[in-house]
């Protein structure tokens, strides 16, 4: 009878150790999931902030005159890819942008949108590309509109991430 009780105590100890091992494995999985969730929450926060910065600039651009110097097409090489479908803003240190932060007050214009300090505080950069290509429907040599892409990017693990907001600004002189 004594042997049976000892054997039972030994089995109970082995069962407890096994249960603790399974519990520790489960806890490690929960910690890994929590770390991943924290990463994605931070990423979502950055995307939300970048969208706010881009939306603010897009709203400001809609208020500018069609002939505003801040809407000049200064880099014609990017006209075929105004919205950066080639992901150059994610892989190049100096992206092929028509305009950047320094151009917000170009021509002595006032900037009333979100400040550059706030942008830098969030580790972001703001750009916009302009193109007049393929927007002369009546073929009179005057653009009917311009295509604009507002791009906000930020550093992430392994490179840059970015969001793009495309918009069209209609030429008031060409309205029919």
């Amino acid at each position: 009878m004594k042997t049976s009780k000892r054997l039972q105590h030994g089995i109970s100890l082995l069962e407890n150790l096994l249960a603790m091992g399974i519990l520790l494995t489960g806890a490690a999985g929960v910690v890994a999931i929590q770390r991943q969730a924290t990463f994605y929450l931070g990423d979502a926060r950055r995307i939300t902030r970048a969208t706010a910065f881009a939306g603010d600039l897009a709203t400001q651009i809609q208020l500018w005159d069609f002939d505003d110097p801040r809407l000049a097409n200064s880099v014609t090489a990017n006209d075929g890819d105004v919205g950066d479908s080639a992901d150059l803003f994610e892989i190049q240190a100096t992206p092929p942008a028509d305009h950047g932060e320094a151009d917000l007050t170009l021509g002595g214009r006032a900037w009333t949108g979100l400040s550059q300090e706030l942008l830098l505080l969030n580790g972001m950069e703001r750009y916009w590309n302009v193109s007049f290509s393929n927007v002369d429907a009546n073929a009179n040599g005057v653009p009917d509109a311009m295509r604009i892409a507002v791009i906000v990017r930020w550093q992430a693990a392994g490179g840059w991430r970015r969001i793009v907001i495309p918009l069209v600004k209609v030429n008031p002189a060409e309205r029919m």
Side-chain angles (χ1 to χ4, degrees):
M1 236 208 228
K2 284 186 176 186
T3 318
S4 171
K5 282 188 178 185
R6 269 191 175 168
L7 184 62
Q8 190 145 9
H9 285 295
I11 290 175
S12 293
L13 180 63
L14 188 60
E15 288 172 343
N16 285 334
L17 286 174
L18 186 61
M20 286 179 65
I22 291 170
L23 186 63
L24 283 174
T25 303
V30 168
V31 168
I33 289 171
Q34 178 64 33
R35 284 183 56 197
Q36 197 71 5
T38 302
F39 169 79
Y40 285 126
L41 180 64
D43 198 40
R45 187 177 298 119
R46 283 184 289 280
I47 291 169
T48 301
R49 288 179 182 161
T51 303
F53 284 120
D56 175 65
L57 179 54
T59 300
Q60 295 293 321
I61 287 172
Q62 290 293 5
L63 297 173
W64 298 345
D65 293 331
F66 194 80
D67 60 351
D68 192 302
R70 297 173 289 188
L71 296 176
N73 184 6
S74 57
V75 179
T76 56
N78 66 14
D79 285 357
D81 190 14
V82 175
D84 189 40
S85 61
D87 298 332
L88 297 179
F89 280 77
E90 290 189 12
I91 57 177
Q92 290 185 357
T94 306
D98 285 315
H99 300 280
E101 207 62 28
D103 294 339
L104 289 173
T105 56
L106 194 66
R109 307 297 166 104
W111 171 249
T112 58
L114 294 173
S115 71
Q116 181 180 14
E117 291 78 24
L118 190 56
L119 190 77
L120 294 175
L121 183 67
N122 285 280
M124 297 184 179
E125 298 176 357
R126 178 170 44 191
Y127 302 94
W128 64 101
N129 287 335
V130 180
S131 174
F132 296 100
S133 63
N134 302 324
V135 286
D136 185 13
N138 57 6
N140 67 353
V142 178
D144 300 328
M146 62 178 75
R147 294 182 304 136
I148 303 167
V150 175
I151 302 164
V152 175
R153 72 180 193 163
W154 64 95
Q155 284 272 303
W160 293 90
R161 302 249 350 248
R162 56 111 171 92
I163 60 113
V164 179
I165 294 183
L167 58 135
V168 174
K169 186 166 182 71
V170 176
N171 185 348
E174 286 293 301
R175 288 190 179 158
M176 295 181 199

